[in-house]
Amino acid sequence: MTVRVQTQDFDTGFEINLLRNARKDTGAVVSFIGQVRDLNEGDSVSQLTLEHYPGMTEKALEAIVSQAQSRWDIFDAVVIHRVGTLQPTDQIVLVAVSSAHRGEAFKACEFIMDYLKTEAPFWKKEVTNQGERWIEAKLTDDDARERWLES
């Protein structure tokens, strides 16, 4: 398991290749890359600042990955989340999961991302044409997390 919170960008190809080549029995690597949008809630976004609690955030991410490992037969997972000031199209997050089969990897990757959005302590502030604003949690993110409680 690799969990990193960092200011610098990451190389998705490098990270995915590490997972892909770690084991000869890897049959699937599934990944999600999140990036800064230039539009949110109808306003142009020129900048996004992400804040976190060092130590606490990494522990929360590790706990989420551990939950995924206990639910699905996956080999490994990588979660890299950026903090600091970002611009539209900058990468924010990478979640990548390796497994013998695609179904397990898809489910685990989606689970990790859904829980990351609701359980990891990150705070986001946008700069828009209307000024600065903190981004509130979305009900759709809570709904995405809740569906895993049923399965």
Side-chain angles (χ1 to χ4, degrees):
M1 168 192 337
T2 300
V3 169
R4 293 195 317 261
V5 177
Q6 60 192 44
T7 56
Q8 69 271 23
D9 199 7
F10 48 85
D11 181 338
T12 57
F14 176 80
E15 299 296 339
I16 289 169
N17 277 330
L18 284 177
L19 275 180
R20 194 174 63 79
N21 294 318
R23 294 175 56 146
K24 292 184 187 249
D25 56 346
T26 296
V29 176
V30 172
S31 64
F32 171 84
I33 302 163
Q35 67 180 35
V36 179
R37 293 182 299 263
D38 68 346
L39 188 69
N40 190 30
E41 297 179 7
D43 295 318
S44 294
V45 175
S46 60
Q47 186 174 289
L48 177 69
T49 301
L50 292 104
E51 297 181 1
H52 76 301
Y53 278 127
M56 178 189 289
T57 302
E58 290 84 352
K59 285 182 183 178
L61 294 172
E62 289 168 1
I64 292 165
V65 173
S66 291
Q67 286 180 58
Q69 289 174 320
S70 69
R71 292 179 74 150
W72 294 282
D73 187 14
I74 62 174
F75 297 150
D76 204 356
V78 173
V79 177
I80 303 172
H81 205 297
R82 293 182 66 195
V83 293
T85 301
L86 304 172
Q87 309 300 316
T89 73
D90 284 351
Q91 299 179 122
I92 300 172
V93 62
L94 169 67
V95 175
V97 177
S98 64
S99 181
H101 303 286
R102 71 180 184 275
E104 300 287 295
F106 271 114
K107 289 174 190 170
C109 187
E110 192 171 14
F111 171 89
I112 292 168
M113 195 60 222
D114 287 346
Y115 268 65
L116 183 154
K117 293 283 288 179
T118 58
E119 302 298 318
F122 288 103
W123 295 270
K124 298 177 184 179
K125 181 172 60 173
E126 293 177 326
V127 175
T128 73
N129 50 1
Q130 304 297 315
E132 292 184 352
R133 66 182 178 206
W134 290 98
I135 299 174
E136 298 293 326
K138 295 179 181 172
L139 291 176
T140 54
D141 292 333
D142 290 333
D143 291 343
R145 184 182 56 81
E146 291 297 317
R147 74 187 170 101
W148 296 107
L149 299 175
E150 299 167 7
S151 59

